[in-house]
Amino acid sequence: MVLNDKRLRFIVGHYASGKTEFSINYAIKLVEMGKKVALVDLDVVNLYFRSREKKEFLEKLGIKVIASSVNASAVDIPAISAEVFTPMQDTSYEAVIDVGGDPDGARALGRYKDYIVEGDYDMFYVLNANRPETQTAEKAVEYLRKIEDTARARVTGLINNTHMLKSTTVEDVLKGQEVALEVSKMTNIPIKYISVIEKIAKDLPDNLEGEVFPITLYMREDWMI
């Protein structure tokens, strides 16, 4: 249950793991529950498929979107708005922080180390076992530890987000679940969520570790596969 998570939720993972889709869906879930929500786009590495691209849509839903201080969606300037501090300091917000992919992207968290106090935040590691760099537990753990080192914060939960976009099958999700279970055993970090497109969520077994979290692909336009 999202309300059982810490107020500050940092979403990290390998590039193209699906962090942004999960972050957006998570923020929407919170606002649907009547919460005051801020979605922070802390990605200063990737120019595409960033949560800031859906700012107008999200703000119509009542979500405060905080992103680059440069008002352009694809300008290669690693600028972060000072507004990022707002949801970290203002405890009236439920905050979802979409962090850049890979260890390089996670480095941006280092500047907020005074606000990342162990026990006061959750950092969720999004795992897509269909990505070559994280298709085994050993590789996934190696990435996880590198992200922790550069972010100067510890992962508190795993998200199985193994997918093939709109072509995702139950078999994809279950394959990823096996990898996530191995990662969990190796790190002693629990599986928090199984992120899966809505059309197949109902077909998953009901005994999986972690909460099934149906998502909509907001970052994929209708014509995209």
Side-chain angles (χ1 to χ4, degrees):
M1 189 72 173
V2 296
L3 294 182
N4 292 333
D5 298 333
K6 301 295 185 182
R7 187 184 68 83
L8 296 178
R9 295 103 160 159
F10 299 98
I11 314 299
V12 301
H14 175 51
Y15 172 74
S17 60
K19 295 180 300 79
T20 296
E21 288 285 15
F22 179 81
S23 298
I24 289 174
N25 278 269
Y26 192 110
I28 291 173
K29 181 73 170 177
L30 284 170
V31 83
E32 287 176 347
M33 300 174 85
K35 298 300 179 180
K36 181 180 177 181
V37 181
L39 175 61
V40 179
D41 184 346
L42 206 59
D43 190 346
V44 294
V45 176
N46 179 32
L47 292 181
Y48 305 102
F49 298 108
R50 296 182 294 192
S51 52
R52 71 190 74 176
E53 296 174 22
K54 297 297 179 180
K55 182 175 182 177
E56 183 176 352
F57 163 71
L58 293 168
E59 290 188 338
K60 285 181 179 178
L61 297 178
I63 298 169
K64 181 178 180 63
V65 179
I66 301 170
S68 169
S69 58
V70 177
N71 189 23
S73 62
V75 175
D76 191 12
I77 299 175
I80 301 174
S81 171
E83 275 194 288
V84 170
F85 288 103
T86 300
M88 293 189 182
Q89 295 172 321
D90 185 346
T91 58
S92 68
Y93 279 102
E94 298 288 328
V96 182
I97 298 94
D98 180 10
V99 182
D102 295 345
D104 287 341
R107 196 178 306 278
L109 273 184
R111 66 184 293 184
Y112 306 106
K113 59 183 177 62
D114 292 340
Y115 298 90
I116 307 176
V117 180
E118 192 165 348
D120 289 346
Y121 71 90
D122 272 312
M123 190 159 82
F124 296 140
Y125 176 74
V126 178
L127 169 64
N128 179 2
N130 278 336
R131 297 291 298 172
E133 296 85 350
T134 53
Q135 64 186 354
T136 68
E138 290 75 17
K139 288 183 176 181
V141 170
E142 181 180 355
Y143 249 91
L144 183 154
R145 295 307 188 198
K146 287 180 179 178
I147 287 172
E148 287 183 326
D149 287 345
T150 58
R152 292 191 278 182
R154 295 300 163 197
V155 171
T156 62
L158 306 175
I159 299 170
N160 172 18
N161 191 48
T162 302
H163 65 85
M164 290 294 288
L165 299 174
K166 296 177 182 178
S167 300
T168 303
T169 65
V170 170
E171 288 70 28
D172 287 317
V173 179
L174 295 181
K175 179 183 77 172
Q177 188 70 1
E178 288 300 314
V179 176
L181 284 169
E182 287 187 58
V183 172
S184 180
K185 290 177 183 176
M186 293 169 68
T187 61
N188 202 31
I189 299 170
I191 300 174
K192 287 287 295 185
Y193 299 107
I194 302 164
S195 174
V196 58
I197 55 176
E198 291 176 312
K199 70 178 182 179
I200 66 170
K202 65 182 185 305
D203 297 325
L204 293 176
D206 58 9
N207 62 344
L208 298 178
E209 183 176 329
E211 178 182 342
V212 175
F213 194 104
I215 66 168
T216 298
L217 297 179
Y218 292 105
M219 298 302 297
R220 308 296 295 186
E221 305 299 340
D222 291 340
W223 55 269
M224 293 179 175
I225 60 172

Short mmCIF file of all heavy atoms in Angstrom, two decimals, residues 88-119:
data_model
loop_
_atom_site.label_atom_id
_atom_site.label_comp_id
_atom_site.label_asym_id
_atom_site.label_seq_id
_atom_site.Cartn_x
_atom_site.Cartn_y
_atom_site.Cartn_z
N MET A 88 10.87 18.37 0.00
CA MET A 88 11.76 17.75 0.99
C MET A 88 11.62 18.45 2.35
O MET A 88 11.75 17.81 3.39
CB MET A 88 13.21 17.80 0.49
CG MET A 88 13.46 16.94 -0.73
SD MET A 88 15.21 16.82 -1.13
CE MET A 88 15.15 15.81 -2.62
N GLN A 89 11.35 19.75 2.32
CA GLN A 89 11.23 20.51 3.56
C GLN A 89 9.78 20.61 4.05
O GLN A 89 9.54 20.66 5.25
CB GLN A 89 11.78 21.93 3.34
CG GLN A 89 13.28 21.96 3.05
CD GLN A 89 13.76 23.34 2.65
OE1 GLN A 89 13.09 24.07 1.93
NE2 GLN A 89 14.94 23.72 3.13
N ASP A 90 8.84 20.65 3.11
CA ASP A 90 7.43 20.82 3.43
C ASP A 90 6.78 19.45 3.61
O ASP A 90 6.49 18.74 2.65
CB ASP A 90 6.72 21.59 2.31
CG ASP A 90 5.27 21.91 2.64
OD1 ASP A 90 4.73 21.33 3.59
OD2 ASP A 90 4.68 22.75 1.92
N THR A 91 6.56 19.07 4.86
CA THR A 91 6.06 17.73 5.15
C THR A 91 4.59 17.53 4.80
O THR A 91 4.06 16.43 4.99
CB THR A 91 6.28 17.39 6.64
OG1 THR A 91 5.60 18.37 7.45
CG2 THR A 91 7.76 17.38 6.99
N SER A 92 3.93 18.56 4.29
CA SER A 92 2.55 18.39 3.85
C SER A 92 2.48 17.66 2.51
O SER A 92 1.43 17.18 2.11
CB SER A 92 1.84 19.75 3.74
OG SER A 92 2.37 20.52 2.68
N TYR A 93 3.63 17.57 1.83
CA TYR A 93 3.68 16.89 0.54
C TYR A 93 4.02 15.41 0.68
O TYR A 93 4.88 15.03 1.49
CB TYR A 93 4.75 17.51 -0.36
CG TYR A 93 4.34 18.77 -1.07
CD1 TYR A 93 4.77 20.01 -0.59
CD2 TYR A 93 3.55 18.73 -2.20
CE1 TYR A 93 4.41 21.19 -1.24
CE2 TYR A 93 3.18 19.91 -2.85
CZ TYR A 93 3.60 21.12 -2.37
OH TYR A 93 3.24 22.28 -3.01
N GLU A 94 3.37 14.58 -0.13
CA GLU A 94 3.83 13.23 -0.42
C GLU A 94 4.69 13.38 -1.67
O GLU A 94 4.20 13.84 -2.71
CB GLU A 94 2.66 12.29 -0.69
CG GLU A 94 1.71 12.13 0.49
CD GLU A 94 2.32 11.30 1.61
OE1 GLU A 94 3.12 10.39 1.32
OE2 GLU A 94 1.99 11.56 2.79
N ALA A 95 5.96 13.02 -1.59
CA ALA A 95 6.89 13.31 -2.68
C ALA A 95 7.36 12.05 -3.38
O ALA A 95 7.71 11.05 -2.74
CB ALA A 95 8.10 14.09 -2.15
N VAL A 96 7.36 12.11 -4.70
CA VAL A 96 7.90 11.05 -5.55
C VAL A 96 9.02 11.68 -6.36
O VAL A 96 8.78 12.62 -7.13
CB VAL A 96 6.83 10.47 -6.49
CG1 VAL A 96 7.41 9.34 -7.33
CG2 VAL A 96 5.62 9.98 -5.70
N ILE A 97 10.25 11.19 -6.19
CA ILE A 97 11.41 11.78 -6.86
C ILE A 97 11.93 10.80 -7.89
O ILE A 97 12.46 9.74 -7.56
CB ILE A 97 12.52 12.15 -5.84
CG1 ILE A 97 12.02 13.22 -4.86
CG2 ILE A 97 13.74 12.69 -6.58
CD1 ILE A 97 11.46 12.67 -3.57
N ASP A 98 11.75 11.16 -9.16
CA ASP A 98 12.16 10.33 -10.30
C ASP A 98 13.62 10.66 -10.60
O ASP A 98 13.94 11.70 -11.17
CB ASP A 98 11.26 10.65 -11.49
CG ASP A 98 11.62 9.84 -12.74
OD1 ASP A 98 12.42 8.90 -12.63
OD2 ASP A 98 11.08 10.17 -13.82
N VAL A 99 14.51 9.76 -10.21
CA VAL A 99 15.95 9.99 -10.29
C VAL A 99 16.48 9.48 -11.64
O VAL A 99 15.96 8.52 -12.19
CB VAL A 99 16.68 9.28 -9.13
CG1 VAL A 99 18.18 9.55 -9.18
CG2 VAL A 99 16.10 9.73 -7.80
N GLY A 100 17.51 10.14 -12.16
CA GLY A 100 18.10 9.71 -13.42
C GLY A 100 18.61 8.28 -13.37
O GLY A 100 18.98 7.76 -12.32
N GLY A 101 18.62 7.64 -14.54
CA GLY A 101 19.02 6.25 -14.61
C GLY A 101 20.50 6.01 -14.38
O GLY A 101 21.33 6.90 -14.59
N ASP A 102 20.82 4.80 -13.93
CA ASP A 102 22.19 4.36 -13.73
C ASP A 102 22.88 5.11 -12.58
O ASP A 102 22.32 6.06 -12.03
CB ASP A 102 23.00 4.51 -15.02
CG ASP A 102 22.50 3.62 -16.14
OD1 ASP A 102 21.73 2.69 -15.86
OD2 ASP A 102 22.89 3.85 -17.30
N PRO A 103 24.08 4.70 -12.22
CA PRO A 103 24.81 5.40 -11.15
C PRO A 103 25.05 6.87 -11.45
O PRO A 103 25.00 7.71 -10.55
CB PRO A 103 26.14 4.63 -11.07
CG PRO A 103 25.78 3.25 -11.53
CD PRO A 103 24.76 3.45 -12.62
N ASP A 104 25.30 7.22 -12.71
CA ASP A 104 25.54 8.62 -13.06
C ASP A 104 24.31 9.47 -12.75
O ASP A 104 24.41 10.58 -12.22
CB ASP A 104 25.90 8.76 -14.54
CG ASP A 104 27.31 8.26 -14.84
OD1 ASP A 104 28.10 8.16 -13.89
OD2 ASP A 104 27.60 7.97 -16.02
N GLY A 105 23.14 8.97 -13.08
CA GLY A 105 21.91 9.71 -12.80
C GLY A 105 21.65 9.84 -11.32
O GLY A 105 21.16 10.87 -10.84
N ALA A 106 21.97 8.80 -10.58
CA ALA A 106 21.74 8.80 -9.13
C ALA A 106 22.65 9.77 -8.40
O ALA A 106 22.37 10.17 -7.26
CB ALA A 106 21.93 7.39 -8.58
N ARG A 107 23.72 10.18 -9.06
CA ARG A 107 24.68 11.10 -8.43
C ARG A 107 24.01 12.42 -8.02
O ARG A 107 24.44 13.08 -7.07
CB ARG A 107 25.84 11.37 -9.38
CG ARG A 107 27.06 12.00 -8.72
CD ARG A 107 28.19 12.19 -9.73
NE ARG A 107 28.52 10.95 -10.42
CZ ARG A 107 29.31 10.01 -9.92
NH1 ARG A 107 29.85 10.18 -8.72
NH2 ARG A 107 29.57 8.90 -10.59
N ALA A 108 22.94 12.80 -8.74
CA ALA A 108 22.25 14.06 -8.43
C ALA A 108 21.65 14.05 -7.03
O ALA A 108 21.43 15.11 -6.44
CB ALA A 108 21.15 14.32 -9.46
N LEU A 109 21.41 12.87 -6.49
CA LEU A 109 20.84 12.79 -5.14
C LEU A 109 21.84 13.23 -4.07
O LEU A 109 21.45 13.64 -2.98
CB LEU A 109 20.40 11.35 -4.82
CG LEU A 109 19.00 10.93 -5.23
CD1 LEU A 109 18.73 9.51 -4.75
CD2 LEU A 109 17.96 11.88 -4.70
N GLY A 110 23.12 13.13 -4.38
CA GLY A 110 24.14 13.43 -3.39
C GLY A 110 24.02 14.82 -2.79
O GLY A 110 24.31 15.02 -1.61
N ARG A 111 23.57 15.78 -3.59
CA ARG A 111 23.48 17.16 -3.08
C ARG A 111 22.37 17.34 -2.05
O ARG A 111 22.32 18.34 -1.37
CB ARG A 111 23.27 18.13 -4.25
CG ARG A 111 21.94 17.99 -4.96
CD ARG A 111 21.84 18.91 -6.16
NE ARG A 111 21.81 20.31 -5.79
CZ ARG A 111 21.64 21.30 -6.66
NH1 ARG A 111 21.52 21.03 -7.95
NH2 ARG A 111 21.60 22.55 -6.25
N TYR A 112 21.50 16.35 -1.96
CA TYR A 112 20.38 16.43 -1.00
C TYR A 112 20.59 15.51 0.19
O TYR A 112 19.65 15.11 0.86
CB TYR A 112 19.06 16.10 -1.71
CG TYR A 112 18.84 16.95 -2.93
CD1 TYR A 112 19.00 16.42 -4.21
CD2 TYR A 112 18.51 18.30 -2.82
CE1 TYR A 112 18.82 17.21 -5.34
CE2 TYR A 112 18.33 19.10 -3.94
CZ TYR A 112 18.49 18.54 -5.20
OH TYR A 112 18.32 19.32 -6.31
N LYS A 113 21.85 15.17 0.45
CA LYS A 113 22.16 14.18 1.48
C LYS A 113 21.63 14.57 2.87
O LYS A 113 21.33 13.71 3.68
CB LYS A 113 23.66 13.92 1.57
CG LYS A 113 24.51 15.13 1.89
CD LYS A 113 26.00 14.78 1.88
CE LYS A 113 26.86 16.00 2.14
NZ LYS A 113 26.62 16.61 3.46
N ASP A 114 21.51 15.88 3.13
CA ASP A 114 21.01 16.32 4.43
C ASP A 114 19.53 15.97 4.63
O ASP A 114 19.04 15.95 5.76
CB ASP A 114 21.20 17.82 4.60
CG ASP A 114 22.67 18.20 4.72
OD1 ASP A 114 23.48 17.31 5.05
OD2 ASP A 114 23.02 19.37 4.47
N TYR A 115 18.84 15.72 3.52
CA TYR A 115 17.42 15.40 3.59
C TYR A 115 17.17 13.89 3.47
O TYR A 115 16.05 13.43 3.64
CB TYR A 115 16.64 16.13 2.48
CG TYR A 115 16.74 17.63 2.61
CD1 TYR A 115 17.76 18.33 1.98
CD2 TYR A 115 15.82 18.34 3.38
CE1 TYR A 115 17.85 19.71 2.10
CE2 TYR A 115 15.91 19.71 3.51
CZ TYR A 115 16.93 20.39 2.86
OH TYR A 115 17.03 21.75 2.99
N ILE A 116 18.22 13.15 3.16
CA ILE A 116 18.08 11.71 2.95
C ILE A 116 18.60 11.02 4.20
O ILE A 116 19.69 10.45 4.23
CB ILE A 116 18.84 11.25 1.69
CG1 ILE A 116 18.41 12.10 0.49
CG2 ILE A 116 18.55 9.80 1.39
CD1 ILE A 116 19.17 11.80 -0.78
N VAL A 117 17.82 11.09 5.25
CA VAL A 117 18.19 10.50 6.53
C VAL A 117 17.62 9.09 6.61
O VAL A 117 16.43 8.88 6.39
CB VAL A 117 17.65 11.35 7.70
CG1 VAL A 117 18.04 10.73 9.03
CG2 VAL A 117 18.17 12.78 7.59
N GLU A 118 18.49 8.14 6.88
CA GLU A 118 18.05 6.75 6.93
C GLU A 118 16.87 6.59 7.88
O GLU A 118 16.90 7.07 9.02
CB GLU A 118 19.20 5.84 7.36
CG GLU A 118 18.90 4.37 7.16
CD GLU A 118 20.14 3.50 7.24
OE1 GLU A 118 21.26 4.04 7.23
OE2 GLU A 118 19.98 2.28 7.30
N GLY A 119 15.84 5.94 7.37
CA GLY A 119 14.62 5.75 8.16
C GLY A 119 13.55 6.76 7.84
O GLY A 119 12.38 6.56 8.19
#
